[in-house]
Amino acid sequence: MTASRLSSGGLVDRSRPVSFTFDGKSLSGFAGDTLASALIAEDRLLVGRSFKYHRPRGVLTAGSSEPNALLTIGTGARSEPNTRATVQELYDGLVAKSQNRWPSLDFDIGAFNSLLSPFLGAGFYYKTFMWPKAFWEKVYEPFIRMAAGLGKLTMESDPDRYEKAWAHCDLLVVGGGAAGLSAALTAGRAGLRVILADEDFLLGGSLNASRAAVGGVKAPDFAANAVSELSSLANVTLMPRTTVFGWFDDMVFGAAEKVQKHVAEPSHDRPVERLWRIVAKHAILATGAIERPLVFGGNDKPGILTASAVSTYVNRFGVTPGSRVAVFTSGGTGYRTAHDLKAAGIEVAAIIDTRDAAADRAPDGVKVHYRGAVVDTMGGKRLTGIITERSGFEEKIGCDALAMSGGWSPVIHLACQRGAKPVWSAEKQVFLAPESDPRLALAGAAAGLETLGEAIADGAAKAKAVLSALGKTAATADVPEVEEQDFAGHQPVWYVGGARSKAFVDYQNDVHVKDLALAQRENYTSIELTKRYTTSGMATDQGKIANVNATGIVASMRGVDPAVVGTTTFRPFYTPVSLGVIAGTSRDEHGRPVRRSPLHGWAEKNGAVFVEAGLWYRSSYFPKGEEKTWREAAHREVMAVRKAAGLCDVSTLGKIEVFGPDAAEFLNRLYCNPMLKLPVGKARYGLMLREDAMVHDDGTVSRLAENHFFITTTTAMAGEVLSHMEFYHQAQWPELKVRFVSVSDQWAQMAIAGPKARAILSRVVDADLSDEGFPYLSARDVRLKGGLSARLFRISFSGELAYELSVPAAYGEAVADYIMECGAEHGITPYGLEALNILRIEKGFVTHAELNGTVTADDAGYGKMMGMQKPDFVGKQMATRFGLTAADRMQLVGLKPVDPKNEIRAGAHLLREGAEPSMANDQGLVTSNCISPVLGHPIALALLKSGRERMGETIIVFDRLRGDEFPAIVCPPVFIDPENERLKGEAQVSPQAKEEASR
Amino acid sequence: MRYSALSIIRNAFSGNRDWQPAWREPEPKPHYDVIIVGGGGHGLSTAYYLAKEFGITNVAVLEKSYIGSGNVGRNTTIIRSNYVLEGNEPFYELSLKLWEGLEQDFNFNAMVSQRGIINLFHDDAGRDHYARRGNSMMIHGVEAALLSRDEVKALVPYLNYNHARFPVMGALYQKRAGTVRHDAVAWGYARGADMRGVDIIQNCEVTGIRRDATGKVTGVETSRGFIGCNKLALAAAGNTSTVGQMAGLELPIESHVLQAFVSEGLKPVIHHVLTYGGGHFYISQSDKGGLVFGASLDFFGSYAQHGNLATVEETIEEGVSLIPGLSRSRVLRSWGGVMDMSMDGSPIIDRTGIENLYLNCGWCYGGFKATPASGFCFAHLIAKGVSHEVSRFMRLDRFERGYAIDEAGKGPQPNLH
Amino acid sequence: MASLITCPHCGSRPKEEFSIRGEVRSRPEPAAPFETWYRYVYVRDNPKGRQKEYWHHVLGCRRWLVVERDTLTHEVYGVTDAAAYRASEVKEAAE
C-alpha cells in the first residue's frame, strides 16, 4: 500500500471523475481535486526534479508555496511551464508533464550533479570557470545554460484572450479562510462594499481541511454557509481563483483572476485571465500562514510533506500520501495531523517531537519520541523510512510518508511590499508586519494568531475597526463557537542537528544548511548577501518555504537573535503572474492605439502605402502601375509637384487655436521669434525653444484675427507642444488672458503644391487666389464653392507655389476627392511622406531629423530670427552660454557626393579629408538624405562643425557601418531655387536653376 | 586565497570548511587618505582601482547597509558600449574593455557574458539614429553592425514579425555587449579591494560632512562616529543629493525609481540582449534561466525602492507586443532601484567647488555597465587630481557652460532621459 | 502616491492619465542674473521627503497640478491647480 484515494471523505465530487495525463500516462481524479491531490491519489509522489542536483522531488505542500511540484500544463501554444500542481485545478483533458529531467523523470542524467555536490557548493561558480578567458561564452556558459531553468516556454503566440479591469470597494479582504470570511461577513452585513479575493477555487482556506466544528457545523460546512450568505449580499463581490499579488501606492492592489484556467478548451468569448486593479478604502489581509518544513538530513525525499499539507490532502481531498505515515514536529501541528490521519484510518508510524515533554496529546496507540530528531531518511524516489536519533540511540522507522512541521510563518508579504520591514516577535517566534498604513490590517494567522477561534474573532474585530473608521456600526456580532482539540504552539528548531545527509532549506534551488554556513564563513553575512550568494529564497516560491528557516539558521550560526538577522525584502509578486494577463489586450496590432487621419480613406482609395509615424498611419507613397519601389513612386510624385501639382495629407500636424487679448503676448513668449506684430491674415514660421535654448519644435503661426491665432506643430510633437503651452500658461503666466485648444482632430488639412496649385484651387475655393489677392504667407478663413467654411494658408514646405487647405474633418475626404477631380486635367498627383521629405530636403527645410533636441536656432540657420530684444521668451536666458555660441558648433549644411553614384545616407558621420577616424576628428553627421529627382543625384542635409564657413570643402562621408566612405562637397542646404522664385508658381525647373543648385 | 578550480577541489576535500572570508569586517580607523561614500559597484570599483592602479590603499568604503545593496544589485545586468557622443562612447568602450578582462583581473567569476545586444528599430528615424550610433562606434574603432529585418529574423526568430503594431525593420547589433552577474561585480571588487588593504565598512551611514574653517572637507560624521580623511569621494547614486547637501552641494540630479523584473526560471529561449524600439523594453535571460527585463521610469521623483502597477503593466505590454511567446511565462519578482537622473542623461565624474570633495553621480539608467570605467576614472581623478581622458567631458559645470552630453536630445528634464 | 492622484478638477484618477515634469521651481524674472536662471533650469533640491512636483492631467482635464508628495513614502499631502499655486506664489513674493 502506498499513496491512495481514501474510500470516503473529502470535498471532491466523487460522482464526477476527471481524466488527465501525466508524462503521457492516463490517470484520473475527481472534480474538486488539484492536480497534486489527483497525482497523490494515483500514487505519483515523484513529480519533479530539483534545479541544481536534479534530486527526485515530490509534492511538499498543498498550496501556493509549493517549491517542488512544478509541471508544464497544456500543449502547444497553451503550454504553461512551472505550474504548481498544488494550486492547479484538475480538469478533464489536462495534460501535465514533468520538467528539468532528461531523458525521463525516473531516470535523469542530471542527477549525476548530486555526486559532484562537494564541488558545487554555494557560489562555486564565482570561483572558477575563469580560464582560459575565451572559454566562458564558448564552453562554460553554454554548459551552464543547458542546466538553466526548469520548464520550457514554447515561444509560440498565445491563442487566448486576456483583459483588465478596475474595481473599487470600501474593504478588500485578501484571503477567504476563517479570518477572511469572518471579516467579509461582518463588513458585508453592515453594508460595506466588500471584495473578497482568494487564490483558491474553493473559498474557506484551512476550514476546508479542518475536522473542527464551527458554529455547530463541520468547518467546511461553516465555510460553505458563509460563502452562500456572502453571495447573497449585493454589496459583496466574491473573487475565488484570484490572487492579490501586489500592494501599490494609494491602496491600489493588483490581482490576477483565473477565469478559464481550469478548462481544456477555453471559450474565446471570455478571457482566460483577468487583471484587476482594486482600489480599496481599507484592506484586511487574511492571508494565513505558511507552514515551515523542518530542516533535517534527507528532508527532501518524495513522501515528505508538511503536516498541514498531509491534513489537507486527507481531509479536503480524501487522499493520503502514504499508508504508514510518520510525523516529525516541533509543535502541536504535527499532532493535529496525526489525529487527522488516525481519523481517516491511516496508520501513524510514530510522532517524533523535538520538544522535551508532552505538550500535546497523541492519538491512542501512537508512539511519541520526545527530544527526537530525524537525522536521515531512507529510500530513493520514494521515502521508505526514517532514521531517528535520541540521546545517542538510533532507530529506523519504516514509513512511506512523513508529515513534518516546523511551525508557522504568517503571510505578511503584501503588507511589506512597500518598504515596511517585518518585525520579529520574540513571544510568538515569528515575523509580523509592522503597522505601516492605518488603512491596512492583518487578521488571523497572518497576524500571528494560531487557532481557528482566534482567527474568526480577529477577522470580525478587524472588520469592525474598518466599519468604525468609515463611520458605520456593525450589526450584532455573532462570532461562532469553535469546537476543536487544543494544540500547543511550536518551539522553533531551525536546524535539526546530527544530519547524516543534506538538510535542505530551499528545496527548489537545492540550498542546504552547509551552503548557508559557507556563506557565513566567507562573510556574506547580511541575510541579503546570504540569499544572493547561496540563491536561498530565489526560486519560484520566492522563499515562502526557505526564508524564515534561513533567517533562523543564520541567526543560530551567528549566535544572534533572528531579529538581528531580519528578512530579505518582500516584493511583488506574491505568486508568479503570467505576462499575458498583465499585458491584457495590449498586444499584437493592439499593442498601442492607432490614429488615422481624416484623409485616410482618401489615401486608401488612391492606393497609398501606409507607414507608422508614432501612433499615426500616414500615407508613405502611392505606387502606380509597374512601380516596384517606394523610390520610383516618390520620384514621380516629386516631379508631379515640381511640374504640375500634388495633394498631400498633412492632417496629422498638430493644430492649436489660440484666443484672447494676450494671445499675441503669449505666443511672443513661447516662440523665439517675434510674434506681436504679425499682421492679421498672415502666417509666419515659428520656432519654439526649450528653456535650455535647444529647438523644441517648429511650425506656422497664423493670425486670423487680432485676438485669434492658429498654430501648427510637427506631427511628432503635437502633444508635447500643447502640454508645453499649457504649462507656461497655467503654471507660469496664469495672468495672461489667453485660451487655447487643440483642434488637430477637428480639421482635415491638405497641402496642394505645384505650379498648377492655384489653377486647381481656384475651382474649389471661392476667393481671389492671385498673388495680389492671396499673396505668399496669407492665412484666412475662406468659403469653398459649395459653401463650406474652410481655412486657406499660402505656405509651402516644398518650395513650390503651395497652399494648405483646412476643412472640417468630416468633409476632408469629399473635399480631397473634389480637388483631385478638379486637378485631374492639370495632372494633380497624390503624394506621400516620402515625396514630402524629398521636396523639403531639396529646399533645405528642417524636420526633427535635424532638430534633434541638441540643435539651437542658430545651428539650424535661424539665428537671426531670435528676438533677443524681447524681454522674455522660453530659452532666451540659456541661449548665450559659451557652449551654445561656440564657433565650432555643428551647423546645418548641404552635401553633394563628389561621385554622384555615392548615396549619402542619414546616420553617416563626417571627417576631414585624410583624417584618421576618431571621435576627436568627428566633424558632424548626416541628418537627412535623398536622391534629388530634379538634380538627378544624391543630396543630403548635415550638421557640420562650423559648417557655414566650410562651403565648397570636400569632406569624407564616414559610413563604415554600411561599408561606405567617400568624399562629398559641402554646400548650402538649399539645393533648388535659392531665390524662392518658384513660390510664385510661374517658374519651371530651368536648366539654369539646376546648374546653380549643383554648383 | 586565490579562487580557481584547484582551490575548489582542495576545499571540497576538507568539507569546504577552510574557505576564508571574501573580505574583512574591519572597525573604522580614525583617518584615511580617501573615504568613499557608497559601497555599491562604483564605490567599490573606485576603491579597487585606487589600490590596484594608483597604489592608494589607505582607503575606506562606507556603506550604510550591506555592500551592493543599491543599484548594482537592482538592474538588468546589461553591458554595452553603443553610444553616440564623444562625451560617452570612449568612456563606455573603456568600461567594456575593462569588463572583458575583469574576472581574471580581480579573480572572481562575474559571468561576463558577451552574448550581443540587438537594438531593434521600427522606422526610418530609428534606423537613422542607430546608423549614427553605429558609426559613432565605428569611428571610435568599436565593432558594430546594422542588421536588416531578415538578419534580425535569423538571429531572433521569436519576435512578433506578423502582427506587430510597430514592425521590426532592423537592428543595431553589438556583438561584444552582453550581461554580467550583477551581485558578483560588487563582491569581486570588494574582495579585490579588501585584499589590497581597503577597509570595507558596512552598516556605516554617513550623517554629515565635516569641513574646516577654510571650507575644505576633513572627514565625515557617521553612525559609527567621526572618520577623518584627506579626500572624500561620493559614489552614492540615488542618494547623491542627500549626501551632497551635507556639504552644501546643489546638484543637477533628480532621484527616480526604475523598476525591473525577473520571470520564473525557464530553459534558455532568449540568447541575446534585446531592446524594443517601439517602446522602451529591454530583456535578456540569465544563466539561471530567469528572463530579466525592464522599461521606463515610474517618472515621479522617488527614493523608494518600489514602483507602481501602471509601470509594471506598460513594461509587460511592450514585452508581449515584441515577443508574443512571453505571454504564458510568469513574472516572479519586481524591484525598484533609485536612479540618480542627471539633466542630460549623462554622468558626472568631477571635482566639486569644495576642496577635497569629489563627485561621481548622474548615472541614470546606465550605471551598471559603467561600473569598471566609473571606478577607474574616478580613482584616476582622486589620485591624480585631473580627469581621465575618457571622462573629461563629464564635468559638473557643463550645464552652466553649455556643454550638455545629451544623447537623447531631451533637455533638462531628467525623467525623459 | 503615485498610483492615484486626486485631481482638484476630476477627483481620484490613475497615474496613467498624468505626465510628470518634475520638481516645482519658480521661473525667475526675465531680468534675473544668469546664475539664477541656470539654477532654475538645471539645479534640483531633490529632497528625500516632502517635495512639490508638476503633474499634468494630460489624459483628463489637461490642467497642470502642483502635487506635494513624499519622495520616500509616496504619501501625498496635497494637490493644487498650478495656476492657483502660481498666483499664491506671486502674492507671497509681493508681500
Side-chain angles (χ1 to χ4, degrees), chain A residues 128-340:
Chain A
T128 184
F129 300 139
M130 288 180 266
W131 308 269
K133 193 175 137 183
F135 267 38
W136 177 255
E137 283 87 356
K138 294 194 178 68
V139 181
Y140 303 130
E141 190 176 44
F143 190 72
I144 288 173
R145 279 176 82 82
M146 263 164 44
L150 293 169
K152 199 170 168 353
L153 196 62
T154 66
M155 292 298 259
E156 287 176 52
S157 214
D158 193 332
D160 291 330
R161 290 181 48 223
Y162 299 83
E163 68 180 28
K164 302 190 192 183
W166 285 89
H168 299 259
C169 60
D170 297 320
L171 174 64
L172 170 67
V173 180
V174 184
L181 288 174
S182 165
L185 280 172
T186 306
R189 287 168 182 164
L192 290 193
R193 287 182 308 155
V194 177
I195 292 176
L196 173 67
D198 192 290
E199 59 188 0
D200 205 333
F201 53 89
L202 181 67
L203 295 176
S206 67
L207 290 168
N208 291 326
S210 169
R211 289 184 303 114
V214 182
V217 299
K218 289 178 180 172
D221 294 336
F222 172 79
N225 294 342
V227 168
S228 115
E229 179 182 345
L230 288 168
S231 324
S232 73
L233 297 175
N235 52 318
V236 175
T237 306
L238 296 179
M239 299 177 75
R241 300 189 176 95
T242 303
T243 302
V244 177
F245 59 74
W247 177 35
F248 299 93
D249 294 341
D250 303 311
M251 296 297 281
V252 172
F253 293 81
E257 180 189 4
K258 293 185 170 77
V259 182
Q260 296 189 86
K261 283 292 191 183
H262 51 295
V263 293
E265 281 291 325
S267 152
H268 208 67
D269 296 337
R270 290 190 301 149
V272 290
E273 286 186 86
R274 190 180 285 129
L275 181 81
W276 289 97
R277 301 97 150 194
I278 303 173
V279 184
K281 286 191 186 135
H282 287 261
I284 292 175
L285 305 183
T287 39
I290 292 173
E291 192 179 14
R292 291 188 300 270
L294 282 164
V295 181
F296 59 93
N299 64 346
D300 69 325
K301 297 222 164 76
I304 301 178
L305 290 82
T306 62
S308 64
V310 170
S311 287
T312 302
Y313 288 117
V314 170
N315 292 342
R316 172 171 167 186
F317 297 105
V319 299
T320 177
S323 55
R324 183 176 150 85
V325 183
V327 174
F328 183 25
T329 186
S330 63
T333 312
Y335 288 80
R336 185 204 313 266
T337 299
H339 283 278
D340 289 339

Side-chain angles (χ1 to χ4, degrees), chain A residues 590-643:
Chain A
H590 305 292
R592 284 289 174 259
V594 168
R595 294 186 77 180
R596 289 200 175 91
S597 140
L599 297 181
H600 194 87
W602 166 82
E604 254 175 349
K605 263 191 308 222
N606 284 278
V609 171
F610 292 93
V611 64
E612 299 80 11
L615 297 181
W616 292 100
Y617 280 103
R618 296 189 66 180
S619 30
S620 178
Y621 56 99
F622 295 80
K624 284 233 162 75
E626 297 294 293
E627 287 167 354
K628 284 189 189 67
T629 65
W630 67 268
R631 185 166 266 163
E632 285 174 80
H635 281 204
R636 171 183 47 73
E637 292 164 23
V638 166
M639 292 316 288
V641 172
R642 297 265 183 243
K643 286 183 172 155

Side-chain angles (χ1 to χ4, degrees), chain A residues 247-553:
Chain A
W247 177 35
F248 299 93
D249 294 341
D250 303 311
M251 296 297 281
V252 172
F253 293 81
E257 180 189 4
K258 293 185 170 77
V259 182
Q260 296 189 86
K261 283 292 191 183
H262 51 295
V263 293
E265 281 291 325
S267 152
H268 208 67
D269 296 337
R270 290 190 301 149
V272 290
E273 286 186 86
R274 190 180 285 129
L275 181 81
W276 289 97
R277 301 97 150 194
I278 303 173
V279 184
K281 286 191 186 135
H282 287 261
I284 292 175
L285 305 183
T287 39
I290 292 173
E291 192 179 14
R292 291 188 300 270
L294 282 164
V295 181
F296 59 93
N299 64 346
D300 69 325
K301 297 222 164 76
I304 301 178
L305 290 82
T306 62
S308 64
V310 170
S311 287
T312 302
Y313 288 117
V314 170
N315 292 342
R316 172 171 167 186
F317 297 105
V319 299
T320 177
S323 55
R324 183 176 150 85
V325 183
V327 174
F328 183 25
T329 186
S330 63
T333 312
Y335 288 80
R336 185 204 313 266
T337 299
H339 283 278
D340 289 339
L341 287 163
K342 262 308 229 209
I346 302 152
E347 184 186 354
V348 177
I351 296 176
I352 295 89
D353 189 335
T354 59
R355 296 172 297 179
D356 289 343
D360 292 288
R361 185 174 61 78
D364 294 344
V366 173
K367 192 176 163 198
V368 181
H369 302 231
Y370 296 109
R371 291 184 308 283
V374 177
V375 293
D376 207 354
T377 57
M378 296 177 287
K381 288 164 204 156
R382 179 66 195 266
L383 184 74
T384 57
I386 56 175
I387 301 172
T388 66
E389 199 178 86
R390 185 168 46 163
S391 322
F393 291 98
E394 181 184 303
E395 187 180 339
K396 285 187 184 168
I397 300 172
C399 60
D400 55 4
L402 175 71
M404 62 174 165
S405 184
W408 294 84
S409 302
V411 175
I412 55 175
H413 298 57
L414 289 172
C416 295
Q417 282 180 351
R418 294 177 59 248
K421 291 259 176 276
V423 179
W424 176 251
S425 160
E427 180 211 335
K428 291 180 183 291
Q429 295 279 299
V430 294
F431 282 104
L432 295 174
E435 246 187 63
S436 58
D437 190 316
R439 297 166 294 180
L440 187 84
L442 291 94
L449 301 178
E450 284 165 18
T451 68
L452 270 183
E454 287 174 308
I456 292 172
D458 192 39
K462 297 286 162 63
K464 275 187 206 158
V466 171
L467 286 167
S468 74
L470 293 173
K472 304 230 174 168
T473 42
T476 28
D478 123 49
V479 175
E481 193 86 357
V482 176
E483 293 161 54
E484 189 185 23
Q485 185 184 336
D486 276 345
F487 294 101
H490 284 250
Q491 290 174 5
V493 173
W494 300 116
Y495 168 50
V496 180
R500 308 255 176 93
S501 56
K502 287 191 182 69
F504 285 93
V505 180
D506 187 309
Y507 282 74
Q508 193 182 114
N509 278 351
D510 283 329
V511 179
H512 54 106
V513 171
K514 284 184 178 171
D515 292 322
L516 298 180
L518 180 62
Q520 307 315 302
R521 196 172 297 134
E522 296 193 87
N523 209 9
Y524 295 87
T525 43
S526 155
I527 192 68
E528 291 277 7
L529 290 177
T530 300
K531 164 190 153 179
R532 288 152 185 257
Y533 191 60
T534 63
T535 74
S536 179
M538 291 171 75
T540 57
D541 66 309
Q542 285 290 284
K544 289 187 186 68
I545 290 298
N547 279 359
V548 178
N549 274 338
T551 290
I553 292 166

Side-chain angles (χ1 to χ4, degrees), chain B residues 64-381:
Chain B
K64 67 177 172 156
S65 179
Y66 59 95
I67 56 165
S69 53
N71 296 340
V72 73
R74 284 171 229 281
N75 58 71
T76 46
T77 79
I78 299 167
I79 60 167
R80 58 184 172 89
S81 66
N82 53 357
Y83 281 75
V84 172
L85 299 175
E86 190 185 4
N88 281 327
E89 176 62 17
F91 174 86
Y92 285 101
E93 176 55 17
L94 170 67
S95 210
L96 193 51
K97 288 218 172 84
L98 289 169
W99 282 119
E100 285 171 330
L102 187 62
E103 297 156 302
Q104 289 71 27
D105 189 60
F106 67 20
N107 182 228
F108 202 95
N109 188 353
M111 304 178 201
V112 174
S113 167
Q114 294 182 278
R115 54 185 70 175
I117 189 167
I118 298 170
N119 299 120
L120 299 163
F121 57 81
H122 310 260
D123 56 19
D124 287 352
R127 177 202 57 213
D128 293 351
H129 172 75
Y130 279 134
R132 180 186 179 195
R133 239 204 239 201
N135 278 315
S136 276
M137 295 161 71
M138 301 290 267
I139 214 167
H140 188 56
V142 177
E143 193 198 331
L146 199 66
L147 305 181
S148 67
R149 181 179 158 96
D150 286 342
E151 287 166 316
V152 173
K153 220 169 174 171
L155 278 179
V156 281
Y158 49 78
L159 301 185
N160 193 346
Y161 293 104
N162 300 322
H163 297 282
R165 174 68 178 83
F166 302 111
V168 172
M169 198 185 218
L172 180 66
Y173 183 38
Q174 184 182 21
K175 252 185 168 160
R176 284 168 60 237
T179 59
V180 182
R181 169 81 183 101
H182 57 356
D183 291 319
V185 175
W187 303 337
Y189 275 124
R191 180 168 166 271
D194 175 89
M195 279 195 307
R196 289 167 175 83
V198 171
D199 282 357
I200 294 162
I201 302 166
Q202 303 184 75
N203 302 309
C204 180
E205 182 168 8
V206 172
T207 54
I209 293 175
R210 195 181 282 184
R211 296 164 68 183
D212 70 10
T214 66
K216 77 179 175 208
V217 170
T218 57
V220 288
E221 315 288 347
T222 77
S223 53
R224 296 172 70 169
F226 174 78
I227 312 174
C229 64
N230 296 341
K231 292 176 179 175
L232 181 64
L234 307 184
N239 289 301
T240 295
S241 297
T242 316
V243 181
Q245 276 153 19
M246 296 174 190
L249 281 184
E250 292 185 309
L251 296 172
I253 297 290
E254 275 182 21
S255 297
H256 284 263
V257 63
L258 176 68
Q259 298 190 62
F261 306 84
V262 67
S263 78
E264 294 179 336
L266 298 162
K267 294 291 170 200
V269 284
I270 291 180
H271 307 287
H272 306 83
V273 180
L274 282 165
T275 74
Y276 178 39
H280 192 191
F281 178 81
Y282 37 93
I283 187 166
S284 66
Q285 186 171 14
S286 79
D287 284 343
K288 199 164 168 283
L291 302 167
V292 180
F293 55 94
S296 298
L297 295 172
D298 272 34
F299 292 116
F300 46 81
S302 176
Y303 284 88
Q305 289 180 326
H306 66 264
N308 274 283
L309 185 55
T311 310
V312 176
E313 292 178 45
E314 264 167 50
T315 303
I316 289 174
E317 285 169 6
E318 290 184 359
V320 172
S321 293
L322 177 67
I323 308 174
L326 297 184
S327 182
R328 290 185 108 94
S329 68
R330 299 192 193 90
V331 58
L332 179 63
R333 188 173 174 87
S334 68
W335 58 92
V338 181
M339 307 289 125
D340 39 337
M341 301 298 297
S342 70
M343 292 293 149
D344 57 1
S346 295
I348 294 161
I349 299 178
D350 202 358
R351 285 182 288 196
T352 63
I354 297 166
E355 207 177 332
N356 297 344
L357 185 62
Y358 297 80
L359 183 66
N360 175 319
C361 67
W363 293 100
C364 303
Y365 290 33
F368 180 69
K369 70 181 85 70
T371 307
S374 168
F376 196 91
C377 293
F378 201 30
H380 185 284
L381 175 72

